[in-house]
Amino acid sequence: MAENMPTKIEEEPLPRMNAGTQLFEDLDANVSATEIESLCMRCEKNGLTKIMLTRIPHFKSIILMSFECPHCGLQNNEVQSGEALQEKGHRYEVKCTNKSDLSRQVVRNNSASVSIPEFEFTAPPATNSTLTTVEGLISRFIEDLSMDQEQRKEVVPEMYTVIEALLVKLRNALELPEEDGDEKSANAFTMVVDDPSGNSYVENLCVPNADPKLSIHYYRRTREQMIQLG
């Protein structure tokens, strides 16, 4: 990833999106992007970074960055907020009961924690911001938690058992029904994205109307949160 980002990126107007169309423009689509050579952290040869400033309907501007190295094949995609620190922190709570909820687009700023209360699971703020979906977040949690499980089984079997039980719940969470039925799915869950910076986002599937499964809470940051945000 490039260390020096251009101080100004020209923004191209994006086509109006209708219901059912892709929420975010693909970096490979016919949209203007700034391209710069940048050092690959794996092989230390030059790769290519694409940078594009775009807008999310009903949200705000974000910076999409995509890196690819033609020498070793390393690929990396990141997203950064194109906005300043918001006046208040935001906490999104979304009830996921069917497949369409798993497809909700999510911008997770690196200052945001993600939790699933039913599983007693919380992922702390991440190193990088990401542009993904509810399903993508859960899949990443499964991938991260699965690492070193075999080693834990031998060295710390108690921790292995606890993590394995959580992995079962996370995998089941991806097996939601296509549509809501008369009875709530046993795998239904609530995802909470809590971002003190106010620059994370969870898609409203009922725009321009209120989404009955999605709620947004605004709060004043604590002194500790202000220090963490710098």
Side-chain angles (χ1 to χ4, degrees):
M1 188 58 59
E3 295 181 355
N4 297 318
M5 185 181 298
T7 56
K8 182 178 181 181
I9 303 174
E10 293 298 328
E11 183 179 356
E12 296 288 340
L14 298 182
R16 182 178 180 84
M17 296 184 187
N18 298 317
T21 59
Q22 183 176 346
L23 183 59
F24 302 98
E25 286 291 339
D26 189 349
L27 282 180
D28 293 328
N30 187 24
V31 179
S32 177
T34 299
E35 297 185 354
I36 56 176
E37 284 192 352
S38 50
L39 183 67
C40 176
M41 295 295 101
R42 176 188 289 173
C43 68
E44 299 186 348
K45 295 181 180 180
N46 281 343
L48 183 66
T49 295
K50 295 181 180 180
I51 305 174
M52 184 178 71
L53 178 63
T54 187
R55 291 183 300 273
I56 301 177
H58 314 289
F59 185 50
K60 43 187 80 145
S61 297
I62 60 171
I63 301 170
L64 299 175
M65 296 184 291
S66 174
F67 173 80
E68 183 173 1
C69 178
H71 305 287
C72 69
L74 177 66
Q75 295 183 342
N76 185 28
N77 296 293
E78 295 183 20
V79 59
Q80 293 184 4
S81 173
E83 305 286 340
L85 187 68
Q86 302 302 299
E87 181 179 353
K88 294 183 178 181
H90 295 175
R91 184 173 69 254
Y92 288 85
E93 296 184 9
V94 57
K95 298 185 183 300
C96 299
T97 60
N98 60 41
K99 289 288 188 184
S100 62
D101 294 317
L102 296 177
S103 299
R104 289 176 187 265
Q105 299 280 359
V106 177
V107 175
R108 183 194 183 187
N109 198 50
N110 60 0
S111 56
S113 64
V114 179
S115 60
I116 302 177
E118 293 89 342
F119 302 166
E120 298 183 350
F121 169 75
T122 299
T127 303
N128 299 317
S129 301
T130 53
L131 170 59
T132 183
T133 62
V134 170
E135 181 176 3
L137 278 175
I138 293 177
S139 296
R140 182 59 186 269
F141 296 151
I142 292 173
E143 179 182 344
D144 290 346
L145 289 168
S146 296
M147 293 178 60
D148 302 324
Q149 267 295 79
E150 289 302 316
Q151 183 177 355
R152 291 191 193 99
K153 188 175 183 179
E154 298 296 329
V155 180
V156 194
E158 298 85 0
M159 182 179 295
Y160 165 84
T161 301
V162 171
I163 293 178
E164 199 64 24
L166 176 58
L167 285 170
V168 170
K169 295 178 182 178
L170 291 172
R171 293 188 182 105
N172 287 342
L174 299 180
E175 301 300 325
L176 293 177
E178 291 294 335
E179 298 180 355
D180 291 329
D182 294 334
E183 296 184 4
K184 181 179 177 181
S185 169
N187 297 326
F189 62 93
T190 305
M191 177 171 283
V192 181
V193 179
D194 191 338
D195 184 6
S197 79
N199 286 322
S200 290
Y201 167 83
V202 178
E203 181 184 5
N204 177 345
L205 297 181
C206 301
V207 169
N209 300 315
D211 189 329
K213 294 184 181 180
L214 178 67
S215 60
I216 310 173
H217 307 272
Y218 301 89
Y219 60 88
R220 294 190 179 278
R221 287 179 284 272
T222 64
R223 177 179 174 80
E224 290 75 14
Q225 288 172 330
M226 289 296 294
I227 293 174
Q228 291 173 356
L229 293 172

